[in-house]
Amino acid sequence: MKIILLLFILATSIATSHGLDLDHGIDYNILPLRLKSGSGGHYIKGITCSSWRLGVEAHNIIDWKTIPQECEDYVGNYILGEQYRADSKAVISEAYLYAKSLNLTKDGKNIWVFDIDETSLSNLQYYANHGFGVEPFNATAFNEWVELGEAPALPESKKLYKKLLSLGIKIAFLTGRSESQRDITAKNLKDAGYYKYEKLVVKDTVKYKGKTAVTYKSAEREKLEQEGYRIIGNIGDQWSDILGTNTGNRTFKLPDPLYYIA
Amino acid sequence: MKIILLLFILATSIATSHGLDLDHGIDYNILPLRLKSGSGGHYIKGITCSSWRLGVEAHNIIDWKTIPQECEDYVGNYILGEQYRADSKAVISEAYLYAKSLNLTKDGKNIWVFDIDETSLSNLQYYANHGFGVEPFNATAFNEWVELGEAPALPESKKLYKKLLSLGIKIAFLTGRSESQRDITAKNLKDAGYYKYEKLVVKDTVKYKGKTAVTYKSAEREKLEQEGYRIIGNIGDQWSDILGTNTGNRTFKLPDPLYYIA
């Protein structure tokens, strides 16, 4: 059995190395490729990191501050590997099938809400340097990264964005980024290929001080509807992007095992 | 590379065979153990069965009638293997941590809603004989299986049930099974170890004819609240168990890649 296990580990490592898709349109030069062994890691007795991730995606595991320490390698492997891209693709594919199936009134009032971080733009370079979510969130360091304006597009999300535009659907970006980050965010979006949109809603940090993302985003979506838009779709990587009120006719949850926003 | 791939497949097969946990307290004699190769199967170009399953659990992929044909082996492997049990355990563990953290009023009005099929009782024997969800739902055949009253408990769910009772929380079963199936369901629950509960709510098929499960279950949960119960938790394998109104203070979604109920 020991020999078989050894063969298994060896072969798994090689196969994983072969299967890693680092292309995603993202520059991973900053991250030396370490082959990590954590894919079967357990975070608490009897519960694997894979079950933890599913629990997060299905909104069973909530209000966590950092990923489980023992899942750092697992999450790193997932997010840099094929599965993250494949899981995103499945969501985007479903979203497009839905959008295409609609018989839309052509009055220019159909809008689709996109979250930004880990939905439209990827902060993977930042998180790769910060333990894939194992470190507590550091606002100062993260804001420095945002100010660089170098976050690449998430390739599957950008495909959806383009297809929605071609269907005549307008785009509203709705983000927890603050008013002071509006300009760099607009520039970053443009550089990443999101050149055309109806709205870029950033957070008024005075008005929404102490409020949850659910409260803030619900209120801003309500405003959109009051302006006459019909929110026909809503996509984010956090449940707080798609819960609350005025959520839109259909919501989509992209994978994100890196952090949790209430 | 070919030799390595062969080693990988061989070692994976052995490891999987070694790791399969068919114990779950369920009798699988009816199903000869076939080692299936479908775990990497694709259901549409570029989308794996694994991404399909995640999409289902995260409520991105909805309103499906059968599982993708190409995912039969994948779903069979999942549901008979370790991962289904592990994924269930992660949900149950989270539910128990939540329940234990509550500071409950001891007035006997705290209630936890359990769905029955694939939440409290397992119909895996039935689905193993019907292509793991690849066959369209056959009400006649399924009702015959229900009438046998032989569905075993889902072991992780039963653990939660027992722990909730020990915390002084009452249990309400709320199921899409019909009034005509009440007696056999009550007997089956008792035989499976669910001996004590406050309510067994079955569906009035006249009153709720043509209504969705979301509508039916929301209305019945509202009744519970009108009777003075506080729904402190709500667990099911379908999103329709936990969406709608009066959903309870916190909801939990158990894995189920076999079927979808709107």
Side-chain angles (χ1 to χ4, degrees), chain A residues 93-111:
Chain A
S93 162
E94 200 69 17
Y96 177 58
L97 287 174
Y98 159 72
K100 214 175 52 170
S101 76
L102 299 171
N103 194 358
L104 296 171
T105 313
K106 297 201 185 307
D107 59 1
K109 289 297 186 184
N110 298 305
I111 209 159

Side-chain angles (χ1 to χ4, degrees), chain A residues 2-22:
Chain A
K2 269 188 189 161
I3 291 167
I4 288 161
L5 199 68
L6 202 69
L7 279 180
F8 180 65
I9 291 167
L10 175 75
T12 307
S13 302
I14 296 167
T16 308
S17 139
H18 182 69
L20 272 178
D21 171 11
L22 293 181

Side-chain angles (χ1 to χ4, degrees), chain A residues 63-77:
Chain A
D63 291 336
W64 44 282
K65 301 296 176 202
T66 57
I67 69 165
Q69 182 84 45
E70 287 179 69
C71 298
E72 179 180 353
D73 287 355
Y74 171 85
V75 169
N77 270 330

Side-chain angles (χ1 to χ4, degrees), chain A:
Chain A
M1 196 60 208
K2 269 188 189 161
I3 291 167
I4 288 161
L5 199 68
L6 202 69
L7 279 180
F8 180 65
I9 291 167
L10 175 75
T12 307
S13 302
I14 296 167
T16 308
S17 139
H18 182 69
L20 272 178
D21 171 11
L22 293 181
D23 192 18
H24 300 195
I26 302 176
D27 175 14
Y28 286 117
N29 292 342
I30 56 161
L31 180 77
L33 179 58
R34 286 187 292 155
L35 272 177
K36 293 171 171 186
S37 58
S39 55
H42 287 244
Y43 86 104
I44 63 171
K45 194 173 174 304
I47 297 177
T48 63
C49 295
S50 160
S51 294
W52 172 80
R53 180 169 66 82
L54 183 71
V56 165
E57 295 304 335
H59 204 230
N60 290 309
I61 299 174
I62 64 174
D63 291 336
W64 44 282
K65 301 296 176 202
T66 57
I67 69 165
Q69 182 84 45
E70 287 179 69
C71 298
E72 179 180 353
D73 287 355
Y74 171 85
V75 169
N77 270 330
Y78 170 75
I79 210 96
L80 295 179
E82 285 184 323
Q83 199 61 43
Y84 176 48
R85 177 78 180 259
D87 290 347
S88 303
K89 187 172 179 168
V91 181
I92 294 302
S93 162
E94 200 69 17
Y96 177 58
L97 287 174
Y98 159 72
K100 214 175 52 170
S101 76
L102 299 171
N103 194 358
L104 296 171
T105 313
K106 297 201 185 307
D107 59 1
K109 289 297 186 184
N110 298 305
I111 209 159
W112 194 293
V113 175
F114 276 72
D115 169 56
I116 293 186
D117 294 301
E118 271 52 72
T119 300
S120 306
L121 298 177
S122 171
N123 302 304
L124 205 35
Q125 289 199 45
Y126 175 84
Y127 282 98
N129 284 332
H130 290 83
F132 297 108
V134 85
E135 296 177 13
F137 180 69
N138 179 331
T140 309
F142 185 74
N143 287 335
E144 281 170 12
W145 155 256
V146 167
E147 285 302 328
L148 296 176
E150 292 175 359
L154 279 151
E156 295 297 334
S157 300
K158 197 160 80 177
K159 279 186 204 165
L160 177 64
Y161 162 85
K162 286 181 179 173
K163 286 180 169 173
L164 294 177
L165 284 180
S166 76
L167 290 171
I169 297 166
K170 295 194 163 152
I171 307 295
F173 290 105
L174 173 53
T175 175
R177 291 185 177 199
S178 67
E179 186 62 52
S180 65
Q181 293 169 325
R182 175 188 289 278
D183 292 348
I184 190 68
T185 300
K187 182 182 182 304
N188 196 155
L189 284 171
K190 194 178 168 198
D191 290 349
Y194 297 103
Y195 49 90
K196 191 181 166 184
Y197 48 86
E198 189 78 355
K199 296 265 179 186
L200 166 56
V201 182
V202 292
K203 191 170 166 185
D204 179 333
T205 49
V206 177
K207 182 174 178 185
Y208 293 110
K209 191 174 160 65
K211 305 286 188 198
T212 63
V214 171
T215 302
Y216 154 60
K217 293 200 164 185
S218 294
E220 293 297 327
R221 286 191 305 261
E222 190 181 359
K223 273 195 213 169
L224 287 175
E225 292 188 339
Q226 284 167 350
E227 291 168 27
Y229 294 106
R230 283 181 299 274
I231 303 174
I232 58 165
N234 178 8
I235 188 163
D237 63 297
Q238 297 290 320
W239 278 97
S240 54
D241 294 327
I242 55 178
L243 291 176
T245 65
N246 311 78
T247 52
N249 291 0
R250 195 162 156 193
T251 63
F252 296 90
K253 165 74 177 76
L254 284 167
D256 187 352
L258 297 168
Y259 54 86
Y260 182 89
I261 298 174

Side-chain angles (χ1 to χ4, degrees), chain B:
Chain B
M1 196 62 205
K2 269 186 189 160
I3 291 168
I4 288 161
L5 199 67
L6 202 69
L7 279 179
F8 179 64
I9 291 165
L10 175 74
T12 308
S13 302
I14 295 167
T16 309
S17 138
H18 181 71
L20 272 179
D21 172 11
L22 293 180
D23 192 18
H24 301 195
I26 302 176
D27 176 13
Y28 285 118
N29 291 343
I30 55 160
L31 180 78
L33 178 59
R34 287 185 292 154
L35 272 175
K36 292 171 171 183
S37 58
S39 55
H42 287 245
Y43 87 103
I44 63 172
K45 195 175 173 303
I47 297 178
T48 62
C49 295
S50 161
S51 294
W52 173 80
R53 180 169 66 82
L54 182 70
V56 165
E57 294 304 336
H59 204 232
N60 289 310
I61 300 173
I62 64 175
D63 291 336
W64 44 282
K65 301 295 177 202
T66 57
I67 68 166
Q69 183 83 47
E70 288 180 66
C71 299
E72 179 181 353
D73 286 355
Y74 171 85
V75 169
N77 269 331
Y78 170 76
I79 210 97
L80 295 179
E82 283 183 325
Q83 201 60 45
Y84 176 47
R85 176 78 181 259
D87 291 346
S88 303
K89 186 173 181 170
V91 181
I92 295 302
S93 162
E94 201 68 16
Y96 177 58
L97 286 175
Y98 159 71
K100 214 175 52 167
S101 76
L102 299 172
N103 194 357
L104 296 171
T105 313
K106 298 202 185 307
D107 58 1
K109 288 298 185 183
N110 298 305
I111 209 161
W112 194 292
V113 175
F114 276 70
D115 168 56
I116 293 185
D117 293 301
E118 272 52 73
T119 300
S120 307
L121 298 177
S122 171
N123 302 303
L124 204 36
Q125 288 199 44
Y126 175 83
Y127 282 97
N129 284 332
H130 290 83
F132 296 109
V134 86
E135 295 177 16
F137 182 68
N138 180 332
T140 309
F142 185 73
N143 287 335
E144 281 171 11
W145 155 254
V146 166
E147 286 301 328
L148 295 177
E150 291 175 358
L154 279 151
E156 295 297 333
S157 301
K158 198 161 80 179
K159 279 185 203 166
L160 177 65
Y161 162 86
K162 285 182 181 173
K163 285 180 170 174
L164 294 177
L165 284 180
S166 76
L167 289 172
I169 297 165
K170 295 192 164 153
I171 307 296
F173 290 106
L174 172 54
T175 176
R177 292 184 176 198
S178 67
E179 186 63 50
S180 66
Q181 293 169 326
R182 175 188 289 278
D183 292 348
I184 190 67
T185 300
K187 183 182 182 303
N188 196 154
L189 283 171
K190 194 180 168 196
D191 290 349
Y194 299 102
Y195 48 90
K196 190 181 167 186
Y197 48 86
E198 189 77 354
K199 297 264 179 188
L200 166 56
V201 182
V202 292
K203 191 170 166 184
D204 180 333
T205 50
V206 178
K207 181 174 178 184
Y208 292 110
K209 191 175 160 66
K211 305 288 188 197
T212 62
V214 171
T215 303
Y216 154 61
K217 293 200 165 184
S218 294
E220 293 297 328
R221 286 190 304 259
E222 190 181 359
K223 271 195 213 168
L224 287 176
E225 293 188 339
Q226 283 166 351
E227 289 168 28
Y229 294 106
R230 285 181 297 275
I231 303 175
I232 57 165
N234 178 8
I235 189 164
D237 64 298
Q238 298 290 320
W239 278 97
S240 54
D241 294 327
I242 56 178
L243 291 176
T245 66
N246 312 78
T247 51
N249 292 0
R250 195 162 156 193
T251 62
F252 296 90
K253 165 74 177 74
L254 284 167
D256 187 353
L258 298 167
Y259 54 86
Y260 181 90
I261 299 174

